[in-house]
Amino acid sequence: MSTERVNPPELSPPAGFSHAVVASGSRVVFLAGQTALDADGKVVGRTLPEQFERALTNLLAALAAAGGTPSDLARVTVYATDVEAYRAHASELGRLWRESAGRDYPAMAVVQVVRLWDSEAMVELDGFAVLP
């Protein structure tokens, strides 16, 4: 797969995301929404950063099981129940992302939602990847 991150100079400089990702490959992997569920189906983590880290770990595990790596991610959407809390923790969440997924950021969006499927969940991540 090849990817090209596109960040036009007429848009504000991206921080922790790419404005566009041009991807070419032979397989597209659609990743279901992942929250901070453990192997027993229970939400773990009391804080937003703890839940974000687990949700990202789950997303990357699904991607790895399909044969992909974090650099194959073309798009990720983050659903948060409190965008202000997400913004307040942005630097820590960015660090957690870089430690797990690196600096080749996909196109991303953060969307506030009223609640998620599991009422204890504060954050959910979904997306898609393009594999070679």
Side-chain angles (χ1 to χ4, degrees):
M1 179 196 77
S2 69
T3 57
E4 175 189 0
R5 271 71 171 143
V6 179
N7 294 299
E10 64 270 18
L11 298 178
S12 64
F17 69 97
S18 294
H19 283 291
V21 177
V22 179
S24 60
S26 61
R27 295 176 50 211
V28 176
V29 177
F30 294 91
L31 298 161
Q34 299 294 325
T35 60
L37 292 179
D38 66 10
D40 294 325
K42 294 182 176 29
V43 174
V44 296
R46 294 176 163 259
T47 68
L48 179 61
E50 290 170 340
Q51 286 198 14
F52 179 87
E53 183 174 26
R54 183 56 185 249
L56 178 58
T57 297
N58 291 346
L59 186 80
L60 296 177
L63 176 59
T69 66
S71 65
D72 297 324
L73 287 168
R75 171 84 176 151
V76 170
T77 302
V78 178
Y79 303 93
T81 58
D82 184 344
V83 169
E84 287 306 315
Y86 190 93
R87 289 177 61 97
H89 292 286
S91 63
E92 184 175 1
L93 301 177
R95 179 185 56 77
L96 292 168
W97 178 278
R98 289 186 302 278
E99 288 173 359
S100 296
R103 292 184 176 271
D104 289 331
Y105 298 108
M108 295 180 75
V110 177
V111 178
Q112 183 164 312
V113 295
V114 174
R115 67 159 281 182
L116 297 165
W117 183 263
D118 294 298
S119 61
E120 306 87 21
M122 298 176 211
V123 64
E124 182 171 335
L125 287 79
D126 74 6
F128 70 88
V130 180
L131 282 58

